[in-house]
Amino acid sequence: MPAVSDRPIASGAAPLRHDWTRSEVEALLALPFTELLFRAASVHRERFDPAEVQVSTLLSVKTGGCPEDCAYCPQAQRYDTGVDAQKLMDTSDVVASARRARDAGASRFCMGAAWRSPKDRDIPKVAAMIREVKALGLETCATLGMLTAPQAAALRDAGLDYYNHNLDTDPEYYGDIIHTRGMQDRLDTLAHVRDTGMKTCCGGIVGMGETRRQRAGLLQLLATLPAHPDSVPINRLVQVAGTPLHGTVELDPFEFVRTIAVARITMPASMVRLSAGREQMSDELQALCFAAGANSIFHGDRLLTTGNPDTARDRALFERLGLRPMAVPVDAAGHDHPATVHADITAAPARTAAA
Ligand code: SAM
Ligand code: DTB
Ligand code: SF4
């Protein structure tokens, strides 16, 4: 079943494909840069207004102490990164943070937990957070690790709109990065999420020392899932001292833009999110990413444990580039008659979105 998009589609828009081969994706990545950008920008316009960018805010509701060994992650207990383990936040604090994020222009609020998977006893607490954040009129997203089918159903029943669970890298490279869970575990969780009818948010990380062929493998796997993920976060590795990937040779910025462009071409109806790593990017590099079809960002001074561009810098960038935050459907808050409200980060007061 193709990814659902209820936006008007330009007549002549190419249908979604789920049969991409690795060599096709590699060939796209290898196009002359200008040609690749032209193709991606053309696909972008078939289904989206290229001036609109969806704005999400992240909050780490349970930080650090994770038993997994993801080689990039500052929250893995086994690496000495200076991130202390904390307990699950109180719902009232999460809701206060979500309200600030909404007032600062976010349309989606994503709650992240440094868990391998939630325990069944955690689910009612997370469900309460989801219900209250949704009642603020925000779309809700959570990323809590692996889920069982009943856990996914319970989150859906609480009103969760999106579940984020990344494939992270090519299956060929995966074993170099993570040993405590397999790719199949990730695919199983995504299947449970899809089966509930929730939207999926699924992408990966580049700049971990993978080859272009392996970047093609990640994109191919994402674009050949039973449904294209509704959101595709493309993270550029944030190198954190103490993690095994600290000191990895940096990815050529143009190669990052190529990855964004090919995600846009292969998953035309998805939100392609310019995700972790923006703080280290110049405004010009981000502008190239938007030109290549990225149409979603995390807004707010922090990601989970690492930094993000401060909100004033994002507002100035939107202003300079003539970008507008994408509207959130009012029925995200459970209203009967869908209409839209415009979030406006350019008019937001200067305060943090996810303090
Ligand atoms: N613990 C849950 C899990 O891994 O499924 C959810 C939170 S986890 C931090 C969410 C995602 O953040 C990871 O899958 C990875 O793609 C991304 N991430 C974590 N550390 C990162 C880093 N240093 N640079 C870029 N992306 C990172
Ligand atoms: C995603 O793909 N990227 C976000 C979100 N999903 C949860 C997380 C990025 C985390 C970057 C490292 C940190 O801040 O700890
Ligand atoms: Fe744990 Fe998620 Fe970090 Fe992996 S990415 S160590 S599962 S918090």
Side-chain angles (χ1 to χ4, degrees):
M1 190 185 70
V4 180
S5 171
D6 49 13
R7 289 167 210 91
I9 300 174
S11 59
L16 302 185
R17 280 184 54 190
H18 296 78
D19 60 352
W20 292 97
T21 65
R22 187 192 287 255
S23 47
E24 279 180 303
V25 177
E26 272 189 282
L28 288 172
L29 282 170
L31 282 171
F33 189 75
T34 43
E35 173 64 21
L36 176 58
L37 251 61
F38 174 75
R39 290 203 201 176
S42 305
V43 168
H44 191 183
R45 276 152 187 74
E46 288 176 356
R47 294 171 193 266
F48 294 101
D49 177 342
E52 289 196 341
V53 176
Q54 188 275 328
V55 177
S56 293
T57 289
L58 253 182
L59 178 69
S60 181
V61 299
K62 197 276 162 212
T63 304
C66 183
E68 302 282 277
D69 75 345
C70 311
Y72 48 78
C73 186
Q75 302 201 71
Q77 174 123 56
R78 67 192 73 202
Y79 311 134
D80 185 9
T81 63
V83 173
D84 295 327
Q86 291 167 12
K87 292 207 299 253
L88 185 62
M89 284 174 68
D90 286 337
T91 302
S92 56
D93 294 334
V94 174
V95 173
S97 183
R99 192 174 286 114
R100 286 194 295 275
R102 183 194 62 184
D103 293 347
S107 63
R108 193 181 305 167
F109 192 70
C110 181
M111 293 159 271
W115 284 326
R116 169 179 167 78
S117 51
K119 299 197 170 51
D120 283 343
R121 67 165 186 267
D122 299 318
I123 296 292
K125 293 186 216 164
V126 178
M129 292 175 188
I130 292 165
R131 271 192 296 272
E132 294 203 26
V133 171
K134 200 170 167 69
L136 296 175
L138 286 158
E139 291 185 306
T140 53
C141 176
T143 181
L144 315 169
M146 294 182 286
L147 294 183
T148 63
Q151 288 176 335
L155 296 175
R156 187 265 328 270
D157 291 346
L160 189 63
D161 296 303
Y162 290 81
Y163 194 76
N164 167 237
H165 200 62
N166 291 337
L167 298 180
D168 276 348
T169 193
D170 183 12
E172 276 182 8
Y173 193 53
Y174 186 92
D176 288 30
I177 304 294
I178 301 155
H179 310 93
T180 48
R181 78 170 81 157
M183 184 63 89
Q184 189 57 48
D185 296 318
R186 291 174 186 264
L187 295 170
D188 291 347
T189 290
L190 288 166
H192 296 324
V193 172
R194 278 195 308 270
D195 289 348
T196 66
M198 280 190 290
K199 294 175 179 161
T200 55
C201 170
C202 180
I205 312 178
V206 296
M208 297 198 294
E210 74 286 340
T211 61
R212 176 181 274 181
R213 178 185 150 75
Q214 290 164 339
R215 279 186 290 282
L218 168 66
L219 290 167
Q220 184 215 358
L221 187 54
L222 291 167
T224 56
L225 287 168
H228 290 173
D230 297 272
S231 291
V232 182
I234 304 293
N235 296 280
R236 188 168 80 160
L237 175 69
V238 178
Q239 300 207 13
V240 179
T243 60
L245 292 185
H246 187 236
T248 303
V249 175
E250 294 242 337
L251 184 69
D252 175 359
F254 294 130
E255 190 66 20
F256 183 78
V257 181
R258 286 176 182 277
T259 308
I260 296 274
V262 176
R264 168 53 63 218
I265 292 169
T266 52
M267 293 170 276
S270 304
M271 299 286 178
V272 175
R273 183 172 307 130
L274 181 52
S275 217
R278 271 198 320 119
E279 192 182 33
Q280 292 75 24
M281 292 178 199
S282 67
D283 286 358
E284 293 85 348
L285 176 55
Q286 293 185 63
L288 273 177
C289 292
F290 294 127
N295 64 347
S296 173
I297 59 164
F298 285 120
H299 179 60
D301 296 342
R302 293 195 77 66
L303 290 165
L304 292 172
T305 64
T306 64
N308 201 37
D310 66 46
T311 51
R313 181 180 162 199
D314 276 350
R315 284 199 298 277
L317 182 62
F318 271 48
E319 188 86 44
R320 290 169 74 201
L321 300 180
L323 298 176
R324 298 186 304 275
M326 202 174 279
V328 58
V330 169
D331 70 349
H335 293 231
D336 281 334
H337 303 290
T340 54
V341 286
H342 260 279
D344 185 2
I345 71 166
T346 55
R351 60 183 162 189
T352 58

